Amino acid sequence: MKFRHLIWLRRTCQALFLAFFVFLVVETRLPPDAYFDYSLVSSEAKGIELSQPVSFFFHLDPLAWIASGISERRWIEGFGWAMALVVATFFLGRFFCGFICPLGTLNHMAGAFRPALKGKTLMAANQKKDDRKIKYFLLIAILVAAVLGMNYSGLLDPISTLFRSLALSVFPGIGIGLSTLFKGLAQSDIKLFNTIGYTAENLAAPVFGYGYKAFQTGLLIGALFLVILFLNRIKPRFWCRVLCPLGALLAVFSRYPILRLEKDESKCTHCGACVKSCQGAASCEPGIVWQNAECLACFNCQDSCREKALSFHFKWPMERAPGIDMGKRAFLGGVVTGLSVPLFGKLDGKMYKVSPPELIRPPGSLRESDFLARCQRCGLCMKVCPTNVIQPTWAEAGFEGFWTPVLVMTGGYCEYTCTLCGNVCPTGAIEKLSVKKKIQAPVRIGSAYLDRGRCLPWSGNGPCIVCEEHCPTSPKAIYLREESIAGADGKKVKVKLPFVDLKRCVGCGICENKCPVKGRPAIRVISAGESRSPENRILL
């Protein structure tokens, strides 16, 4: 292969990996055929697993692997691809950023679409600047926080950031818009529009979700994603140059490149074409030392040079590249921040006191300290959940648990035989359960309790057995007793009063979700009684 064709190889790889990433985002869901034969209460159910490797990009992510391993203080399984990427980066530099990273590809595309910077302003923006030290500051802060047991890598990791943005904001937003449009067409009296509406909805639903999926903080997640893309108008691949902690980690490992940029200063006319086209501000112009750690392997400099003064070659033996320009301030600032944030983040007491009643974690979640040490806040479990019950936290888990998964029963419920959240979790923060273990152990995520003042039978406002009807456990955790109570007119009426047997309740939340008393249901689930926490169990 001729080296001038490397830029086309890079573009092809970028397109393929971005398409693969989007495909995996779409496929992180309950399989469409399972919607029709998925058993609600069958204890003999085999269970449903995703055949696609939806966690592939996360297992390719060295930052997720290293941060999770340090914070958990143990070897995290499943990250063989990340180890291979680290080894390859030693010799090929930051090729992941140029060839594979889907967020990097989107930033590259956003920067190329009607760029705001041209000519001299673009050359000035592509010069070596101190702002790129920010990503090293963020990397140091993440790793130091991980030493203290807090894994914040998912907040800024590019794979987690992109998946969270697409799965919890972009796709649901598009889905709601399309669903509203198609339902409007389907309700039209014009047969053509009616047919188009039904057909289009059937085609779009498997991609963007069935019904109106919604996630709390979705607006914030989407706004941050748009800001990341907009920053490319200020500087090409702003995120990759200035903010990306994974890019900083790969820069640290890019020490012995065998793929090097060769400069022929005798041919160079210093036209600036290479500087304008450089995506990483890697000092590609002849006469200046090439910054291998900042090079994103885009090969634009070689492609844009008319005098052929630049060329990439494989060169042996290996030579150590210039050290990274981290700076003492970035290093010390990262250390101080990494020490301060976890310590100050514990001041709300939510990690060391009894868990807040509304903090209900997915079934199979580790103990809270271990869970926070592993969770990538990526949104995989939220995207795959068929009932939309798993949501990103806001304040339920305190500062330390921001954007980690929590179950909000008013929006959905934990399907009794579903174990998909543990099936897709890339770091094992949610244990991979079998249906048999989940049901027979059983795995409890909380306990239901009755608010008798709001319950229709208990308050004398009418008969209702909805919670008992929907309870999936066998025997049922909600049972009924027929008793006489005073009605609204003072007369005695016979009603069936619901009671909760805490020894049988698993906290699935279907009773709360289906309760006809909306807003604040008459039966609600709290985290007390969860299996994962000895301190939060109910001893009966």
Side-chain angles (χ1 to χ4, degrees), residues 69-372:
I70 293 175
S71 58
E72 181 71 359
R73 291 167 178 76
R74 60 181 294 180
W75 183 266
I76 306 296
E77 298 180 357
F79 283 90
W81 285 107
M83 296 173 59
L85 177 60
V86 169
V87 173
T89 301
F90 270 102
F91 307 109
L92 300 177
R94 291 173 61 182
F95 75 97
F96 174 84
C97 304
F99 281 72
I100 299 173
C101 182
L103 183 56
T105 299
L106 287 178
N107 280 309
H108 201 147
M109 294 168 61
F113 180 73
R114 299 185 65 181
L117 302 179
K118 297 179 180 179
K120 293 182 179 180
T121 56
L122 180 59
M123 283 193 65
N126 280 353
Q127 298 295 334
K128 181 180 177 181
K129 300 287 180 65
D130 286 341
D131 58 1
R132 62 186 180 184
K133 296 178 182 179
I134 296 176
K135 63 179 179 286
Y136 298 108
F137 158 79
L138 295 173
L139 174 64
I140 296 298
I142 288 171
L143 296 180
V144 172
V147 172
L148 297 183
M150 289 310 306
N151 184 5
Y152 289 113
S153 62
L155 293 175
L156 291 171
D157 179 82
I159 303 301
S160 296
T161 297
L162 181 57
F163 191 97
R164 184 172 58 240
S165 300
L166 295 182
L168 308 188
S169 183
V170 176
F171 275 40
I174 295 174
I176 290 174
L178 291 178
S179 184
T180 303
L181 172 62
F182 297 151
K183 285 184 177 179
L185 291 174
Q187 294 171 1
S188 173
D189 294 332
I190 302 175
K191 187 175 181 180
L192 176 61
F193 290 167
N194 187 275
T195 303
I196 292 175
Y198 279 114
T199 304
E201 187 172 11
N202 289 332
L203 293 174
V207 177
F208 298 104
Y210 295 87
Y212 296 96
K213 276 208 165 187
F215 297 92
Q216 60 185 18
T217 73
L219 176 60
L220 173 62
I221 292 170
L224 292 176
F225 178 61
L226 292 178
V227 168
I228 290 173
L229 297 182
F230 178 78
L231 288 174
N232 292 286
R233 295 185 62 81
I234 298 175
K235 188 174 293 187
R237 293 190 71 159
F238 186 98
W239 166 271
C240 309
R241 293 188 194 183
V242 180
L243 299 175
C244 182
L246 175 57
L249 181 65
L250 295 177
V252 172
F253 289 133
S254 303
R255 303 311 305 274
Y256 296 94
I258 58 174
L259 180 62
R260 305 177 199 173
L261 177 63
E262 300 293 332
K263 304 179 181 182
D264 189 344
E265 193 170 1
S266 63
K267 295 181 179 179
C268 181
T269 60
H270 299 284
C271 64
C274 57
V275 178
K276 293 177 184 177
S277 65
C278 181
Q279 292 289 305
S283 302
C284 55
E285 185 176 5
I288 306 176
V289 177
W290 177 50
Q291 301 295 316
N292 170 67
E294 301 299 326
C295 180
L296 303 181
C298 66
F299 307 118
N300 284 352
C301 56
Q302 175 184 285
D303 188 67
S304 63
C305 183
R306 297 181 179 179
E307 287 76 24
K308 308 300 180 186
L310 300 174
S311 60
F312 281 88
H313 293 284
F314 285 106
K315 190 174 181 181
W316 196 266
M318 297 182 296
E319 293 180 5
R320 185 170 180 175
I324 58 173
D325 186 15
M326 183 183 300
K328 292 183 179 179
R329 291 183 180 180
F331 178 80
L332 293 177
V335 171
V336 172
T337 303
L339 291 172
S340 302
V341 172
L343 296 178
F344 292 150
K346 293 179 174 65
L347 294 179
D348 55 25
K350 291 189 176 182
M351 183 172 175
Y352 295 103
K353 303 291 183 180
V354 175
S355 296
E358 68 276 8
L359 184 59
I360 304 170
R361 295 297 192 187
S365 296
L366 304 178
R367 293 184 62 173
E368 189 66 8
S369 57
D370 297 330
F371 181 82
L372 294 176

Side-chain angles (χ1 to χ4, degrees), residues 487-519:
D489 56 1
K491 295 181 179 179
K492 293 288 185 178
V493 293
K494 286 188 175 182
V495 294
K496 292 181 178 179
L497 300 177
F499 294 83
V500 178
D501 185 347
L502 293 178
K503 293 181 180 179
R504 297 173 181 170
C505 182
V506 296
C508 69
I510 192 171
C511 53
E512 179 178 344
N513 182 259
K514 301 300 182 181
C515 180
V517 181
K518 299 301 180 184

